[in-house]
Amino acid sequence: MTVKARFAPSPTGMLHVGNVRTAIIVWLHARKSKGHFLFRIDDTDTERSKKEYEDEIEASLKWLGLNWDEKAHQSARVDRYDDVITKLKEAGRLYACYETPEELALKRKSLLGRGLPPIYDRAGLKLTDDQKAKYEAEGRQPHWRFKLNHEPIIWQDLIRGEVKFEGEQMADPVLIREDGRPLYHLCSVIDDIDFGITHVVRGEDHVSNTASHVQMFEAIFDVEDKPRAIPQFAHLPLISDKEGGKLSKRLGSLSVHDLREVDGIEPMAVVSLMARLGTSEPIEAFSSIEPLIESFDFSKFSRGTPKFDPDELLRLNAKILHEKPFADVADRLSAMGLNGVDEEFWNSVRPNLERLSDIKDWWQTARGQITPVIEETDYIAEALDTLPPAPWNDNTWMDWVNVLKEKTGRKGKALFMPLRQALTGMEHGPEMDKMLLLIGPEKAKERLSSFKKAA
Ligand code: GLU
């Protein structure tokens, strides 16, 4: 069996850390199984679906390196949905209901008031043709519900193990709206059948939907006289924030778009974190996706709620940058206007980067104007006098410091720190042997002598 998996976002908002995790897992599973990855746009909700969201989701997947074998739009498949709807109506699995939202709310309230579960009473099923005609004469349009069979629904979930629902304890789901448009549930099941989806992987907020989907799969296979080839299901626990709270409240600020554009996060940091979050494998910084494909297995996922910690993402980001070869970033540095950064500069400062954009500060420190911090003028005057003549090499810093050590008797921090402060204006930064070379003899001299002007 060739695995065929799909990622099916609704283009009603940005891709956020919650659904990007699903995308990454679906993709890893497809690639590990040498299967197909379908990118499906669930755009049946025409009021809320927007092309710019679709473009944004697509750009995010590309940025993450999640390529697809096929792309589909639900909006292009309306005729096929109508065809299945006709068949399900003929088979009596879809029935017309005429309640208004207010009437339904009242029914729910009354059931809850009597301590009963708010399950729809199937009043629509009992309507005579005359009653239906009367409603329609009043101007009411029917919505259509799927008639669930009252029997147990069981599946082996790849993450949750055996999942069981009782058909009679579930409300018949509405599949077609008053305006005749089918809802996500029906379209999704029809698509999963038509595209030969073998694995449905999504968040655990869909578990109860899956229970009714299982019966919808069966009903559609039956009306079309096909074998009941129901896909396997994997429901991923939803991620919480660092404190265990709901992530959804803050999802706006956690879009992939913002991670990329605002926070300057590397795609592999996102993939590294999301591929391993909530699994038995350690979270590590990977610079390529291959080892993550290799280690992927649903059996490694726990049912517990994984926590998303933005600091962890930043930690992975830094590690990935520290190992990035210059060739991988050269174009992005040019795009940032840092054409002067060469391989030597990159290799010297990359251990100090948390985000790529931090390099601007180091460029400024090395090549721009800084305010030298000079507290011990006698020592700095000595340093200026002993600054080795050009040309400099990798040993220049150590040679210089050794001379100063000899002359002043200073050691450790007292020897190094004033030099770092005078040359960079800061107390921390890249290794000084490297930094000195990036600053160069001319600027070093200028900075070391700045106290003279100030005096
Ligand atoms: N469009 C649905 C969602 O974003 C898809 C769920 C599914 O994978 O079936 O929640």
Side-chain angles (χ1 to χ4, degrees):
M1 176 190 73
T2 305
V3 164
K4 197 160 179 191
R6 86 292 195 283
F7 173 58
S10 306
T12 53
M14 301 278 203
L15 197 61
H16 55 70
V17 291
N19 49 25
V20 81
R21 174 166 176 259
T22 306
I24 290 168
I25 291 165
V26 171
W27 189 90
L28 288 172
H29 169 236
R31 294 295 171 247
K32 173 74 186 277
S33 328
K34 307 254 178 295
H36 288 263
F37 179 77
L38 165 70
F39 175 29
R40 188 180 85 200
I41 304 293
D42 283 1
D43 53 357
T44 45
D45 183 344
T46 43
E47 281 117 52
R48 293 171 59 228
S49 296
K50 292 210 164 65
K51 178 78 169 82
E52 57 257 42
Y53 288 134
E54 179 186 334
D55 292 346
E56 188 49 55
I57 294 168
E58 179 161 332
S60 295
L61 294 188
K62 282 188 180 154
W63 176 71
L64 290 162
L66 307 180
N67 58 342
W68 49 91
D69 305 297
E70 200 176 354
K71 186 179 172 194
H73 288 86
Q74 291 195 324
S75 56
R77 293 179 33 81
V78 176
D79 291 349
R80 168 64 178 147
Y81 303 147
D82 284 345
D83 175 39
V84 176
I85 287 167
T86 307
K87 289 176 186 161
L88 288 174
K89 283 181 182 170
E90 278 166 7
R93 293 306 294 273
L94 282 173
Y95 63 94
C97 300
Y98 290 85
E99 293 91 347
T100 62
E102 295 74 29
E103 286 164 354
L104 284 174
L106 219 63
K107 282 188 182 187
R108 279 176 64 87
K109 215 171 141 190
S110 137
L111 285 169
L112 289 169
R114 285 184 282 147
L116 296 168
I119 298 173
Y120 177 61
D121 60 7
R122 292 188 157 175
L125 264 185
K126 292 155 212 145
L127 293 174
T128 63
D129 286 348
D130 280 353
Q131 285 169 314
K132 289 183 193 174
K134 222 176 118 201
Y135 276 134
E136 293 191 22
E138 277 172 23
R140 293 196 191 203
Q141 286 302 316
H143 55 273
W144 296 75
R145 287 185 188 260
F146 179 67
K147 183 166 170 264
L148 289 168
N149 288 330
H150 286 176
E151 60 190 27
I153 302 165
I154 301 167
W155 75 88
Q156 294 299 325
D157 196 280
L158 290 167
I159 293 175
R160 302 167 71 84
E162 183 178 286
V163 182
K164 190 172 177 191
F165 281 81
E166 296 296 341
E168 55 264 46
Q169 286 167 20
M170 294 162 54
D172 291 341
V174 175
L175 295 191
I176 304 169
R177 315 198 309 182
E178 260 112 83
D179 62 8
R181 279 188 292 163
L183 286 161
Y184 147 77
H185 303 281
L186 182 60
C187 306
S188 176
V189 171
I190 298 172
D191 289 344
D192 287 340
I193 291 174
D194 290 359
F195 287 86
I197 296 302
T198 60
H199 291 76
V200 171
V201 181
R202 55 190 171 201
E204 68 183 8
D205 48 336
H206 283 287
V207 172
S208 57
N209 289 337
T210 297
S212 59
H213 291 188
V214 167
Q215 285 209 5
M216 288 157 59
F217 274 106
E218 291 173 347
I220 298 169
F221 282 129
D222 290 355
V223 296
E224 303 209 310
D225 229 357
K226 289 182 194 150
R228 288 180 165 185
I230 298 174
Q232 287 199 270
F233 297 98
H235 291 91
L236 300 162
L238 303 184
I239 337 184
S240 72
D241 66 17
K242 206 165 115 188
E243 287 80 36
K246 261 198 167 175
L247 205 58
S248 52
K249 280 183 235 134
R250 298 172 40 219
L251 283 182
S253 61
L254 290 172
S255 66
V256 178
H257 173 272
D258 282 5
L259 292 179
R260 183 179 75 213
E261 301 289 330
V262 183
D263 300 334
I265 297 294
E266 300 298 309
M268 275 313 298
V270 179
V271 175
S272 297
L273 179 60
M274 292 305 177
R276 291 278 175 90
L277 196 64
T279 75
S280 52
E281 299 248 50
I283 293 173
E284 292 167 291
F286 286 93
S287 50
S288 97
I289 210 161
E290 274 69 32
L292 290 165
I293 299 176
E294 204 39 54
S295 68
F296 180 85
D297 199 314
F298 280 120
S299 67
K300 294 176 182 169
F301 282 78
S302 109
R303 282 193 58 181
T305 305
K307 291 187 176 134
F308 172 74
D309 177 359
D311 293 336
E312 190 159 31
L313 190 59
L314 206 53
R315 184 177 62 77
L316 293 169
N317 201 62
K319 278 203 162 170
I320 285 165
L321 285 174
H322 300 172
E323 283 173 16
K324 256 204 191 313
F326 176 66
D328 281 11
V329 288
D331 288 350
R332 288 164 67 195
L333 294 172
S334 301
M336 284 159 70
L338 296 176
N339 289 303
V341 173
D342 58 8
E343 187 157 8
E344 184 201 351
F345 191 96
W346 172 252
N347 289 341
S348 302
V349 304
R350 72 179 177 178
N352 289 77
L353 304 179
E354 224 176 12
R355 302 174 163 90
L356 186 68
S357 57
D358 296 344
I359 196 169
K360 288 186 192 156
D361 297 339
W362 297 120
W363 180 254
Q364 170 71 16
T365 302
R367 304 288 160 88
Q369 290 302 322
I370 59 135
T371 311
V373 173
I374 297 179
E375 282 156 3
E376 300 172 70
T377 46
D378 290 351
Y379 178 44
I380 297 302
E382 188 74 52
L384 181 61
D385 283 349
T386 51
L387 189 67
W392 286 355
N393 60 40
D394 287 345
N395 299 322
T396 302
W397 166 257
M398 274 325 283
D399 292 347
W400 182 34
V401 162
N402 281 332
V403 170
L404 282 168
K405 189 176 179 181
E406 193 91 336
K407 285 206 160 189
T408 63
R410 286 175 179 250
K411 49 186 188 206
K413 207 174 162 195
L415 180 67
F416 298 106
M417 191 52 85
L419 300 176
R420 180 184 281 284
Q421 288 177 315
L423 288 166
T424 68
M426 280 187 283
E427 289 187 3
H428 61 89
E431 299 293 336
M432 275 311 291
D433 55 344
K434 308 256 167 44
M435 207 58 200
L436 187 67
L437 297 182
L438 300 181
I439 293 167
E442 205 178 309
K443 272 212 162 352
K445 213 176 277 174
E446 183 190 310
R447 290 177 184 182
L448 291 170
S449 42
S450 63
F451 71 94
K452 292 184 180 166
K453 278 179 256 151

